[in-house]
């Protein structure tokens, strides 16, 4: 009995780490890391519907081949993002599959109109786009690894507002979050 409980705890920890790696990959724009959280054939439904990660699919900005291409196209229109994860409930079904629900709050600093990387819906000034929601995931254990096979992003609330960054630029630049490979994480010996 105790052995089964330990096995379940280890499975839940492995699943939790996949969810955490997803957030890191999104905020650092680490494509290899983002692709690593999905099993082949995974499906996605979060501001996009289709395959989660299939780098062999043809992809254009207008028709991304998979979620990763879609996400990186969209993330490029933001100068910064920050995904904060909250409550996570994981239910193992005993068949090598699990369901997980994870609350998130996401911050996105939109680039202003005139910035060559700004999106088509850019405003005259930078804007802060905040989203609160949940990831509803289906996981599978394959070849000893838990990965996502289906993700649906649920949106519980959204907010768009002008930014306030007073004092932000007084912070040591090396301690301001950046995207891969420039973030301190990638220069750290354990990164």
């Amino acid at each position: 009995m105790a052995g089964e409980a330990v096995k379940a705890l280890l499975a839940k920890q492995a699943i939790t780490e996949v969810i955490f790696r997803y957030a890191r990959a999104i905020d650092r724009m680490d494509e290899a890391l983002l692709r690593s959280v999905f099993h082949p054939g995974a499906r996605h439904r979060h501001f996009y519907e289709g395959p989660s990660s299939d780098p062999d699919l043809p992809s254009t900005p207008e028709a991304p081949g998979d979620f990763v291409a879609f996400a990186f196209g969209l993330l490029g229109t933001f100068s910064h993002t920050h995904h904060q994860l909250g409550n996570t409930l994981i239910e193992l079904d005993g068949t090598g599959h699990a369901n997980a629900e994870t609350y998130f709050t996401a911050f996105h600093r939109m680039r202003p109109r005139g910035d060559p990387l700004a999106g088509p819906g850019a405003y005259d000034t930078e804007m802060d786009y905040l989203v609160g929601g949940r990831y509803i995931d289906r996981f599978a254990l394959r070849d000893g690894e838990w990965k996502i096979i289906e993700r649906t992003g649920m949106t519980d609330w959204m907010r768009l507002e002008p930014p306030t960054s007073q004092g932000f630029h007084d912070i040591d630049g090396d301690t301001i979050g950046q995207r891969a490979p420039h973030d301190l994480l990638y220069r750290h010996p354990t990164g």
Side-chain angles (χ1 to χ4, degrees):
M1 185 73 165
E4 289 302 312
V6 170
K7 240 170 115 173
L9 285 172
L10 290 172
K12 288 182 178 189
Q13 182 61 37
I15 290 168
T16 300
E17 290 181 17
V18 170
I19 295 166
F20 290 170
R21 283 195 304 272
Y22 174 90
R24 175 187 279 180
I26 289 289
D27 289 337
R28 301 288 70 85
M29 284 190 70
D30 185 331
E31 182 178 353
L33 184 59
L34 186 56
R35 289 193 183 283
S36 77
V37 304
F38 302 107
H39 275 306
R43 302 291 299 168
H44 221 90
R45 207 169 96 195
H46 185 54
F47 298 106
Y48 159 91
E49 189 164 348
S52 296
S53 176
D54 187 345
D56 296 327
L57 289 174
S59 187
T60 66
E62 298 78 31
D66 62 10
F67 171 76
V68 174
F70 165 80
F72 276 63
L74 181 62
L75 291 168
T77 69
F78 305 127
S79 59
H80 296 86
T81 61
H82 180 93
H83 288 69
Q84 186 70 41
L85 302 176
N87 309 348
T88 298
L89 181 62
I90 300 166
E91 299 166 333
L92 302 168
D93 71 6
T95 69
H97 291 86
N99 295 316
E101 175 191 43
T102 304
Y103 282 69
F104 72 86
T105 304
F107 162 85
H108 311 80
R109 173 67 51 91
M110 298 172 68
R111 297 177 189 275
R113 187 177 293 140
D115 183 316
L117 298 176
Y123 294 84
D124 289 337
T125 63
E126 291 182 322
M127 293 293 280
D128 287 345
Y129 174 52
L130 298 104
V131 180
R134 294 166 290 132
Y135 299 125
I136 308 296
D137 294 323
R138 180 81 172 147
F139 278 81
L141 178 63
R142 296 181 187 160
D143 299 322
E145 286 190 279
W146 286 99
K147 292 187 181 186
I148 299 168
I149 58 170
E150 186 177 331
R151 168 163 278 189
T152 300
M154 304 295 293
T155 303
D156 293 331
W157 59 267
M158 294 168 51
R159 183 177 177 139
L160 184 65
E161 58 190 39
T164 301
S165 296
Q166 188 170 354
F168 185 72
H169 298 289
D170 296 332
I171 299 170
D172 177 359
D174 197 44
T175 63
I176 294 175
Q178 299 181 47
R179 293 179 168 163
H182 308 290
D183 191 83
L184 180 63
L185 171 74
Y186 294 89
R187 300 188 319 261
H188 194 273
T190 60

